[in-house]
Amino acid sequence: MKYDKIDKQLFIKNRKNFMAQMKPNSLAIFNSNDIFSTGADSTLPFTQNRDIFYLSGVDQDASVLVLFPDAPKEKHREILFLTETNAHIAVWEGEKLDKDKAFETSGIKTVYWLKDMDKVLFEVMTQCDTVYLNTNEHYRANVEMETRDARFAKWLKDRYPAHSVAKSNPILQRLRAVKDPIELELMQTACDITEKGFRRILEFTKPGVWEYNLEAEFMHEFLNNRSKGFAYTPIIASGNNANVLHYIENNQQCKAGDLILIDAGAEYANYSSDMSRTIPVSGKFTDRQKDVYNAVNRVKNEATKMLVPGTLWEEYHVEVGKLMTSELLGLGLLDKADVQNENPDWPAYKKYFMHGTSHHIGLDTHDYGLLHEPMQANNVFTVEPGIYLPDEGFGIRLEDDVVIQDNGEPFNLMRNIPIEVEEIEEIMNS
């Protein structure tokens, strides 16, 4: 892995917190992700299942974690199953975790090779009543392929039909949403790498560059700072492309006078950053562009102040809608009649700002978090208002990642990334 070694105390603490929520005499099982084929003998780069990573720090395929806090044998209270490594594998694929390195990574002392899994699992299954199975129940999940966890769940329920089954996801939703200080440091690193990429972009951008040139400049900076690359597919949208919310082609030339909406962030150690900035191709905003830009920035700043413990996600978005409505009235994009006659289910401001303002971020860009529960300290949220004007040929979105504090305003992990009009113009013209 490119990233620096993570303190195993993070994973020890995460397992302790998870096991404290388990039913008596139960065990939980977590599988790594598959490696996906693209045809012939080629595969996509491996990306670890975030849940097993959160609980173990193990970042390789064909790995299984078993947690059994009430196991009669102390050594079976935490178990890792890994692919047996050898000299041949080391030559062809690079070193896999051996038992010592697995302990250094995870803090788990009991490590078996996968070939012994059926035997060991039979023993512990005869000693437990309930099995926690891992499922993806994120509110945005769209799971069309069968995961390794899903295949395993079918096998286990067929093999051990008399056991009770429980879901690990509700526990993980709450635990993963509240970040440990070590996690916040990793996310800060991801945001700092993103900052380096954005500053590089400000110096590089000029009329005639292509959107993919900017994408390449980001990637150059990310890789040089120990990131695997983008935390999600980047949006580099010049001109009217910015009005396509999930524009990812990044294949158009950037023209003088246009704006470029950039939605891009580095990952670091599997943790995400998520930044949006909008910059002028020619290095200077027009008066109209500046007015809209500053309106979006004011909404972002005021919305950020609302992210405090106890805030409810739905109510927060209603209040942000009021802020945006006020700004759109000031810009002449709405009038009082539009607001008075609006559909409560689709307020007038939604014509120009049609997406949500905030989502959890962490190991996933759209991270775990129960949106019907009040916000808590050490939740990390994005704040990303936008105004989209296809008739005027531009769209503006601004986005930071912020940490909710016990008291006061959130801490902005992207506080050092240029965002004010004057700062952006100064850097682009220096």
Side-chain angles (χ1 to χ4, degrees):
M1 300 304 152
K2 294 181 174 67
Y3 55 85
D4 291 318
K5 182 177 173 60
I6 301 172
D7 188 341
K8 66 185 176 185
Q9 293 304 316
L10 171 64
F11 310 115
I12 292 170
K13 178 182 175 181
N14 290 346
R15 291 194 299 276
K16 180 180 178 181
N17 289 341
F18 183 90
M19 289 189 288
Q21 302 297 316
M22 294 173 64
K23 298 177 181 180
N25 207 37
S26 64
L27 65 79
I29 303 177
F30 303 88
N31 285 270
S32 64
N33 279 338
D34 288 317
I35 293 179
F36 296 104
S37 172
T38 62
D41 62 346
S42 299
T43 61
L44 293 172
F46 176 69
T47 299
Q48 182 58 296
N49 178 288
R50 299 312 195 218
D51 294 326
I52 192 172
F53 182 83
Y54 176 80
L55 294 167
S56 71
V58 171
D59 204 352
Q60 70 180 39
D61 65 292
S63 46
V64 181
L65 171 66
V66 174
L67 302 178
F68 187 7
D70 296 330
K73 293 181 181 178
E74 184 177 353
K75 71 175 185 176
H76 283 167
R77 291 172 188 172
E78 298 181 342
I79 305 171
L80 272 177
F81 294 97
L82 302 173
T83 300
E84 184 172 4
T85 190
N86 55 45
H88 177 79
I89 289 173
V91 168
W92 285 91
E93 301 178 24
E95 289 189 16
K96 301 279 188 180
L97 290 173
D98 60 21
K99 296 183 179 184
D100 290 337
K101 289 181 180 176
F103 173 71
E104 291 173 11
T105 297
S106 66
I108 296 173
K109 296 178 181 178
T110 303
V111 179
Y112 292 107
W113 302 133
L114 277 173
K115 62 185 177 65
D116 299 318
M117 182 171 165
D118 280 358
K119 178 182 177 182
V120 176
L121 192 60
F122 178 79
E123 178 180 345
V124 295
M125 287 294 290
T126 63
Q127 298 165 345
C128 76
D129 300 318
T130 302
V131 183
Y132 282 85
L133 298 175
N134 201 31
T135 53
N136 181 359
E137 298 179 29
H138 189 276
Y139 67 100
R140 294 194 185 201
N142 181 20
V143 183
E144 296 183 359
M145 60 186 178
E146 188 174 54
T147 64
R148 192 181 184 94
D149 271 326
R151 292 198 308 274
F152 182 82
K154 286 181 180 179
W155 175 86
L156 186 110
K157 286 187 281 188
D158 182 65
R159 181 80 178 269
Y160 301 99
H163 282 72
S164 297
V165 174
K167 300 188 299 183
S168 61
N169 190 265
I171 300 175
L172 288 168
Q173 289 271 8
R174 289 188 173 86
L175 292 180
R176 279 182 48 182
V178 180
K179 303 300 188 281
D180 182 90
I182 295 175
E183 293 183 284
L184 294 176
E185 289 178 10
L186 296 170
M187 295 186 70
Q188 183 66 75
T189 299
C191 290
D192 291 345
I193 295 171
T194 300
E195 178 194 352
K196 292 179 181 180
F198 182 62
R199 289 184 181 275
R200 183 183 183 94
I201 290 296
L202 290 178
E203 296 176 359
F204 178 83
T205 301
K206 60 182 181 296
V209 301
W210 293 75
E211 293 164 346
Y212 56 76
N213 296 145
L214 303 183
E215 183 176 348
E217 293 298 309
F218 270 116
M219 182 60 88
H220 176 100
E221 204 66 36
F222 291 175
L223 289 175
N224 271 335
N225 285 277
R226 305 181 75 97
S227 166
K228 284 189 296 188
F230 293 98
Y232 52 93
T233 305
I235 296 168
I236 314 289
S238 62
N240 238 331
N241 295 331
N243 295 304
V244 180
L245 295 183
H246 292 117
Y247 172 84
I248 57 174
E249 284 78 6
N250 303 344
N251 62 3
Q252 298 299 304
Q253 195 169 30
C254 303
K255 299 174 182 177
D258 277 351
L259 299 182
I260 309 170
L261 192 160
I262 296 168
D263 191 333
E267 73 80 47
Y268 180 76
N270 292 314
Y271 283 84
S272 295
S273 65
D274 189 354
M275 177 202 74
S276 293
R277 293 292 187 270
T278 307
I279 64 173
V281 174
S282 301
K284 188 171 180 60
F285 294 89
T286 67
D287 289 343
R288 175 61 170 174
Q289 291 167 348
K290 188 184 299 185
D291 287 344
V292 177
Y293 186 103
N294 286 332
V296 173
N297 202 17
R298 284 192 294 269
V299 173
K300 185 188 75 70
N301 292 336
E302 292 304 311
T304 300
K305 296 174 185 177
M306 300 180 193
L307 295 175
V308 296
T311 296
L312 291 171
W313 190 78
E314 285 192 5
E315 294 178 1
Y316 160 76
H317 279 93
V318 170
E319 293 305 310
V320 174
K322 294 176 183 178
L323 291 173
M324 182 59 77
T325 298
S326 177
E327 293 292 349
L328 292 172
L329 287 167
L331 291 167
L333 292 167
L334 294 179
D335 58 33
K336 291 182 180 180
D338 294 323
V339 178
Q340 291 169 351
N341 298 322
E342 69 183 9
N343 178 352
D345 296 327
W346 191 255
Y349 78 84
K350 287 287 188 180
K351 178 179 179 181
Y352 301 102
F353 174 38
M354 60 291 295
H355 58 77
T357 309
S358 294
H359 58 77
H360 287 275
I361 183 171
L363 278 168
D364 289 299
T365 304
H366 297 119
D367 204 28
Y368 280 172
L370 296 170
L371 298 180
H372 59 275
E373 295 190 354
M375 296 178 185
Q376 304 176 62
N378 291 335
N379 287 163
V380 185
F381 279 95
T382 64
V383 189
E384 50 180 306
I387 294 176
Y388 305 94
L389 304 173
D391 291 341
E392 299 185 41
F394 68 91
I396 293 171
R397 181 164 65 249
L398 300 174
E399 176 182 22
D400 284 334
D401 304 339
V402 303
V403 187
I404 293 181
Q405 305 293 289
D406 286 310
N407 298 290
E409 295 181 20
F411 180 77
N412 189 352
L413 295 172
M414 294 185 163
R415 62 201 175 280
N416 296 324
I417 301 179
I419 194 167
E420 299 298 331
V421 163
E422 295 76 16
E423 186 178 10
I424 287 174
E425 289 184 340
E426 181 181 353
I427 295 171
M428 294 187 75
N429 291 284
S430 61

